[in-house]
Amino acid sequence: MKIRNPRTGHLDFSLRVVSHDEVAQLVSQLRSSQPQWWQLGMAGRVKVMHNFSEQLVAHREALIAAVAEDTGRWAESELEVDVTINTIHRWCKDAPELLAEAPPRKAHLPFLEIQPSYLPFDVVGVISPWNFPLLLSLVDAIPALLAGCSVIIKPSEVTSRFVAPLQEVIKSTPELSSVLKLVTGAGETGQAVIQHVDTLCFTGSVATGRRVGELCAQQFIPAFLELGGKDAAIVCDDADIEVASSALCWGSMVNAGQSCMSLERIYVHENIADEFISRLVEKVKKLRHNYPDIKVGEIGPVISDKQVAVIRQQLDDALQKGARALCGGHLLQLGGGFYCEPTVLDQVNKDMLIVTEETFAAIVVVQRVQSNEEAVQLANDSKYGLSAAVFSQDMANAYQIAAALKAGGISINDASLTGFVHEAEKQSFQCSGMGGSRMGAESIRRFIRKKSFIRNTGVASPWWFKA
Ligand code: NAD
């Protein structure tokens, strides 16, 4: 399979498509290696994962270069590799306590004693998207491995150049190579993974997530679905305008808007709207494309060519229906890559795709509201519910709004904090996902099956036959 380079447009990467039979064989190997991994115990697994992180550090430059080649952006690729390494450290620190077996306790019936226990799933499957290819391939794999599972990862076909250097890292951590495997390919390889694993973590679009959820149901395995969003920010009339405009410029434009927790809709109180919008536009206008030098500029190319058509359709639809571009408003072609002009749109409404559908680009829409209630109602009027943001200097007001929003992770006086604070549990609302929290304590517990040993301490149970 030939894969396009997001900066040049050239089909310069050959992706090996792993067949169904190969997936079956690899999962069978993972299944037979898992008991030994589990028997290693938490302390043993933590040691191996620390070695893994050391090897990632040793291969940092190669990984950054490959991720940058996959995605066409540099600064975010550095951040992605470093966040992945930090994620391993954090899990190595937290996992022993989170999965420590509780001491035995008396049951409600006092002659019975409960000893809680657990068993990890044998093989966890991970299917990941293209927007943060390395991080989103490992974000679930790391806690799953620490919990004692084997893991098979199928990254996005759009961004699989990083797989070769990552496989080198895995090879240099021998204890890991029998319990962590990567397979490359597109949807069919993903389907093969689903058919053989015991539980699945999927990150991707709502449309594919729905299909994946159905396939998992057919296999009778749990599916954890982390899907798209159309995140809203509410800027109240007492917000610090400087803070709100800087945070939202970053939160809507970082990674060229190609983040699930990108803030794509802003509802600003009319009392401060002119001042807020003018500062936001002033800041957005300063952002530069990272072309021709990948290391200079904040806005990278559109990574997936399929997304180009989506962005074009949404922009055309909005501009045709009366939206006004306060800055940007075009897709540019530079050196064979597609770059979205950093764009702020106003005069938008719910008839426009750009207000209702995930855009996944450096585009944010702004609507003026007359009250906080109206802002909450508009923010919640969406099929998505991933994350959101609230800006207000009155904390009681901010928390009240946060509580009313139908989304899992709400940043207060900042943007997209769920990308940095991984210990805060949150779930996805509505079409943005399904299953337990990927963050915090619950995250690692998605990979175990709870057990209880219930012991009779030496009394004849009163329900036994008396005869
Ligand atoms: P996608 O749904 O097109 O693809 C995701 C993965 O699914 C890829 O690896 C793909 O090969 C695989 N796939 C496709 N069809 C499949 C099938 N039938 N069975 C099994 N696997 C299949 O998503 P994408 O375009 O790569 O990623 C962008 C989307 O991901 C956006 O909607 C974004 O919001 C979402 N996302 C969500 C989060 C989150 O945490 N909620 C994080 C990042 C990205």
Side-chain angles (χ1 to χ4, degrees), residues 128-130 154 157 202-205 208 226-228 260 358 438:
S128 53
W130 48 258
K154 205 296 286 173
E157 62 278 23
F202 173 83
T203 310
S205 62
T208 313
E226 300 282 343
L227 311 178
C260 55
E358 183 179 50
R438 163 184 271 177

Side-chain angles (χ1 to χ4, degrees), residues 156-301:
S156 169
E157 62 278 23
V158 180
T159 50
S160 281
R161 291 167 180 89
F162 80 93
V163 171
L166 181 59
Q167 269 169 335
E168 284 304 308
V169 177
I170 296 169
K171 249 195 255 165
S172 55
T173 320
E175 304 93 325
L176 206 57
S177 52
S178 58
V179 287
L180 175 61
K181 304 221 178 271
L182 285 113
V183 287
T184 48
E188 282 187 14
T189 309
Q191 286 186 35
V193 167
I194 296 169
Q195 279 171 31
H196 296 281
V197 296
D198 306 310
T199 187
L200 187 89
C201 297
F202 173 83
T203 310
S205 62
V206 174
T208 313
R210 199 181 284 275
R211 175 89 190 103
V212 163
E214 286 165 4
L215 291 170
C216 289
Q218 281 166 23
Q219 295 298 320
F220 213 73
I221 59 168
F224 300 106
L225 307 176
E226 300 282 343
L227 311 178
K230 186 82 193 169
D231 292 356
I234 294 180
V235 184
C236 301
D237 62 355
D238 68 342
D240 181 322
I241 295 177
E242 187 52 27
V243 166
S245 54
S246 290
L248 290 173
C249 173
W250 181 83
S252 58
M253 300 291 151
V254 66
N255 204 32
Q258 301 165 114
S259 315
C260 55
M261 78 295 183
S262 182
L263 288 150
E264 298 198 353
R265 299 178 287 152
I266 300 176
Y267 300 104
V268 55
H269 197 285
E270 59 182 4
N271 291 351
I272 58 156
D274 286 344
E275 179 62 19
F276 167 79
I277 293 171
S278 117
R279 283 207 223 174
L280 176 69
V281 170
E282 189 189 315
K283 289 170 187 176
V284 170
K285 273 183 175 168
K286 287 189 184 146
L287 303 177
R288 302 150 301 165
H289 289 129
N290 70 352
Y291 181 86
D293 186 343
I294 191 173
K295 293 188 182 172
V296 177
E298 298 78 19
I299 307 291

Side-chain angles (χ1 to χ4, degrees), residues 105-114 454:
R105 65 175 197 275
K106 264 197 175 18
H108 187 62
L109 298 164
F111 60 96
L112 299 180
E113 187 187 80
I114 303 168
I454 307 167

Side-chain angles (χ1 to χ4, degrees), residues 289 299 302 308 311-312 315-316 319 325-334 338-345 354 361-363:
H289 289 129
I299 307 291
V302 178
V308 171
I311 299 166
R312 196 167 270 151
L315 264 180
D316 289 350
L319 295 171
L326 300 175
C327 59
H330 305 98
L331 261 179
L332 308 177
Q333 210 171 352
L334 304 170
F338 290 95
Y339 291 74
C340 183
E341 280 184 338
T343 300
V344 180
L345 292 180
I354 212 146
I363 300 175

Side-chain angles (χ1 to χ4, degrees), residues 126-137:
V126 171
I127 298 178
S128 53
W130 48 258
N131 58 326
F132 288 99
L134 174 77
L135 179 65
L136 292 174
S137 291

